[in-house]
Amino acid sequence: MRWAIEDGWTLTGRYLAQLARRPARLAGVVAFPILMVLIFAYLLGGGMSVPGGGSYQEFLMPGMFAMTMAFGLSGTMIAVLDDTGKGVTDRFRSLPMAPSAVFTGRVAADLVNAVLALAVLVGCGFAVGWRPHGSLGETLAALGLLLLLRTALVWAGIYLGLLTSDPAMVSLVQTLEFPFGFLSGAFVATSTMPAWLGTVAEWNPLSSTVTAARVLFGNPGAAGTSWVSAHAVPMAVVWPLVLLAVFVPLTVRRYRRLGN
């Protein structure tokens, strides 16, 4: 266990050093969500209404937090593809190191990246008028649920990065991130959608995290009529755990079979 932890820490440092040497990539991770906030808050927000009333900015920000976590999937996939293409992953497999370190190091480094992006976005939210109205514990719980979702999607990104060697697949995944995000309650209330589409959106795992964050932050628009909306907080835990139960063993199995 000590060996695995030390190796994982070493690879976490490697991934963070790569991030520090590529400030443009980090700037893109932070700048794009900020741009989205400004577009929705000031260009489109005037035409948006929140069921039950309330500020659209406060309705929007939990959705933007969750979307930022979701965008990490393609970023992780790019990093894994880069290592695989350069032969780094094969080199790791040949070294006397804990195989788990490749994954734990990647996940830990990505979470550091996610915390930084989330901190910047929280500051942006305060600038546009968003405020958390829950207790400190509820606010921290909401942030924890967002990071739990990010952790699950990082594992999905690692698996997809190991599954293919075609960089074009990254573009496909990035393209699919947008319908995955927009087909949820992140930007508009699901009650404003056609009934069948609203049901699909409410069962989107992203919607559970968004709604749970609104509940814990005390922001408007958290009310829902479906079972999954009424139980958003426990479902925001269940969905990521289901994703982890699927992608962790798939990732480990794929890693063991590389080169076969």
Side-chain angles (χ1 to χ4, degrees), residues 6-109:
E6 289 176 353
D7 288 347
W9 178 254
T10 299
L11 288 190
T12 300
R14 172 186 179 267
Y15 297 138
L16 291 176
Q18 285 183 321
L19 185 64
R21 290 196 298 267
R22 297 175 181 177
R25 180 177 294 183
L26 179 60
V29 169
V30 173
F32 181 72
I34 292 176
L35 181 61
M36 292 284 286
V37 169
L38 297 178
I39 289 173
F40 276 89
Y42 294 115
L43 295 181
L44 304 178
M48 302 288 189
S49 60
V50 181
S55 164
Y56 179 69
Q57 282 83 351
E58 292 203 340
F59 174 88
L60 170 68
M61 289 312 301
M64 283 306 311
F65 295 152
M67 280 293 290
T68 302
M69 299 298 100
F71 285 146
L73 189 151
S74 60
T76 300
M77 186 177 175
I78 291 171
V80 173
L81 269 173
D82 189 47
D83 277 351
T84 303
K86 294 178 178 178
V88 175
T89 302
D90 287 335
R91 179 60 174 162
F92 285 157
R93 295 176 70 234
S94 69
L95 291 173
M97 59 182 286
S100 62
V102 177
F103 309 128
T104 57
R106 173 65 63 189
V107 172

Side-chain angles (χ1 to χ4, degrees), residues 186-226:
F187 300 107
V188 296
T190 55
S191 60
T192 64
M193 302 176 184
W196 67 271
L197 190 62
T199 300
V200 172
E202 288 183 350
W203 281 92
N204 183 335
L206 191 70
S207 291
S208 293
T209 299
V210 171
T211 304
R214 289 185 180 130
V215 169
L216 294 169
F217 286 138
N219 293 150
T225 57
S226 69

